[in-house]
Amino acid sequence: MQPIDVELAVLETSELTTFPCSVQNLRRTSAEKTKTPPSLLNPKKQKRRKKQGPCRKLIPEQGLITTDIAKYWRQRYSLFSRYDDGIQMDEEGWFSATPEEIAATHAARASSGTIVIDCFSGVGGNAIQFALRIRGCHVVAIDIDPQKIGYAINNAKIYGVEDNIDFIVGDFFQLAPFLKADVVFLSPPWGGPSYKKIQNFTLDLFKPRDGYSIFQVAQKITPNIIMFLPRNVDINQVEELSWLSSPPLNFEIEESHVQGYTKGITAYFGYIVSGSPGLSKLSEVVTSQGIPSFFTAGMRLLGFNH
């Protein structure tokens, strides 16, 4: 699937630049190991080691990265179960990709035949799960970084869902007035791993705009919104978002776990809240029988009714 040309810079798949690879074996064989000369065992004769900068480790598939990212690399199969098949990520992708198990839970809230917009798609984790797990679901994946879109295209091909996702390089806030969908997924940048040091993560800390502004833009597309948020987010402020509509939106919040550890907070708004009528009725209205889903998606993306 080629990225959609929206009169913005669009990355062609032939121009993808892969992350630097450097495969080395850092283990020494027993034959290479030598005994320490007795003279060096004397502390007086030992040379002090020079102070080194931040420790860096070699991750075989991805090259040199910081030890902070090495922690995420050890969890690579929780991010993408098919990681060994050629998954590509930049350094930011390591700590911003939604764990696959959580992304699948998000996708389960959508109904078959729906259109989903992933507004800050990154390397494609959530977009892939929506396209993979929901029959007839079509995803519009948007990111302002062409390199991330390139990685997302590669990753979608690995999961075999590239034909169910339209990839767009562009600014979500500029594109939003022209978009239509059944569900909007929001996982705006949290500011990197340093977010964990904040005791109470307020909505004004989100980038590139505060959480209230991001939500209001998404709300003009659809009231059915999924937000994946830091585990230390201010819950009261998240609940306030439901009151930005009149009447207020249905609201639900849950902790998102992987192997018993809380990875984030997911907030659901609109019909996708448990116990609501659901999106099935909405899908009956917006999806015409007999029209291929990809054609329907393209028409609705451009704002045409059918």
Side-chain angles (χ1 to χ4, degrees):
M1 174 68 68
Q2 295 288 331
I4 294 178
D5 185 355
V6 290
E7 298 184 353
L8 296 173
V10 177
L11 179 71
E12 298 293 341
T13 54
S14 61
E15 299 176 355
L16 301 184
T17 302
T18 58
F19 198 86
C21 294
S22 178
V23 180
Q24 297 181 15
N25 187 352
L26 301 183
R27 297 181 179 177
R28 292 187 299 169
T29 64
S30 58
E32 293 174 315
K33 296 178 180 179
T34 58
K35 295 182 178 180
T36 304
S39 61
L40 294 182
L41 297 178
N42 188 335
K44 295 183 180 180
K45 296 185 179 181
Q46 291 182 4
K47 295 182 179 180
R48 292 185 178 181
R49 293 184 178 179
K50 295 181 179 180
K51 292 184 179 181
Q52 298 179 351
C55 179
R56 300 178 74 85
K57 289 185 177 181
L58 183 67
I59 291 180
E61 297 85 351
Q62 302 290 348
L64 288 170
I65 64 173
T66 62
T67 50
D68 286 340
I69 306 304
K71 176 185 70 174
Y72 294 95
W73 180 79
R74 290 192 291 270
Q75 304 171 25
R76 58 196 180 280
Y77 299 114
S78 70
L79 299 177
F80 291 94
S81 59
R82 299 189 61 178
Y83 178 84
D84 289 340
D85 293 337
I87 292 295
Q88 295 178 352
M89 288 189 281
D90 59 1
E91 188 161 318
E92 184 180 355
W94 282 104
F95 55 77
S96 62
T98 304
E100 190 169 278
E101 182 179 339
I102 296 176
T105 302
H106 296 158
R109 293 298 182 107
S111 299
S112 60
T114 57
I115 310 300
V116 178
I117 298 177
D118 186 349
C119 305
F120 307 94
S121 63
V123 296
N126 279 95
I128 289 171
Q129 291 303 311
F130 277 111
L132 181 67
R133 297 181 180 273
I134 306 302
R135 182 176 62 85
C137 179
H138 195 90
V139 184
V140 179
I142 303 171
D143 202 282
I144 200 167
D145 184 348
Q147 187 178 52
K148 286 183 174 60
I149 288 293
Y151 293 146
I153 293 172
N154 170 81
N155 300 339
K157 288 180 179 179
I158 290 173
Y159 282 83
V161 295
E162 70 275 15
D163 291 337
N164 296 329
I165 306 175
D166 291 326
F167 298 95
I168 301 178
V169 178
D171 185 336
F172 164 66
F173 300 104
Q174 294 182 11
L175 296 172
F178 308 100
L179 299 174
K180 295 184 181 296
D182 303 312
V183 177
V184 166
F185 177 78
L186 297 172
S187 184
W190 299 355
S194 61
Y195 82 89
K196 299 176 183 177
K197 301 177 182 179
I198 303 172
Q199 184 175 0
N200 188 42
F201 194 100
T202 55
L203 294 183
D204 62 293
L205 296 177
F206 283 105
K207 304 296 181 184
R209 299 187 187 180
D210 66 90
Y212 292 104
S213 299
I214 295 173
F215 187 86
Q216 287 178 312
V217 172
Q219 194 177 12
K220 292 179 180 179
I221 300 174
T222 177
N224 306 308
I225 299 171
I226 302 174
M227 294 186 76
F228 186 49
L229 308 166
R231 61 194 178 198
N232 53 346
V233 72
D234 188 317
I235 300 298
N236 292 327
Q237 289 189 347
V238 177
E239 186 174 3
E240 288 174 0
L241 295 174
S242 65
W243 293 88
L244 295 178
S245 289
S246 181
L249 296 173
N250 293 333
F251 170 75
E252 179 187 354
I253 196 164
E254 68 179 12
E255 290 187 339
S256 300
H257 302 272
V258 174
Q259 298 179 349
Y261 293 95
T262 303
K263 295 293 186 179
I265 298 292
T266 303
Y268 300 95
F269 300 88
Y271 288 112
I272 48 182
V273 170
S274 295
S276 296
L279 285 174
S280 57
K281 294 183 179 180
L282 181 62
S283 298
E284 291 174 3
V285 174
V286 300
T287 304
S288 299
Q289 294 183 357
I291 299 179
S293 60
F294 68 87
F295 181 80
T296 304
M299 292 287 287
R300 295 183 53 210
L301 178 62
L302 295 174
F304 293 101
N305 295 321
H306 54 273

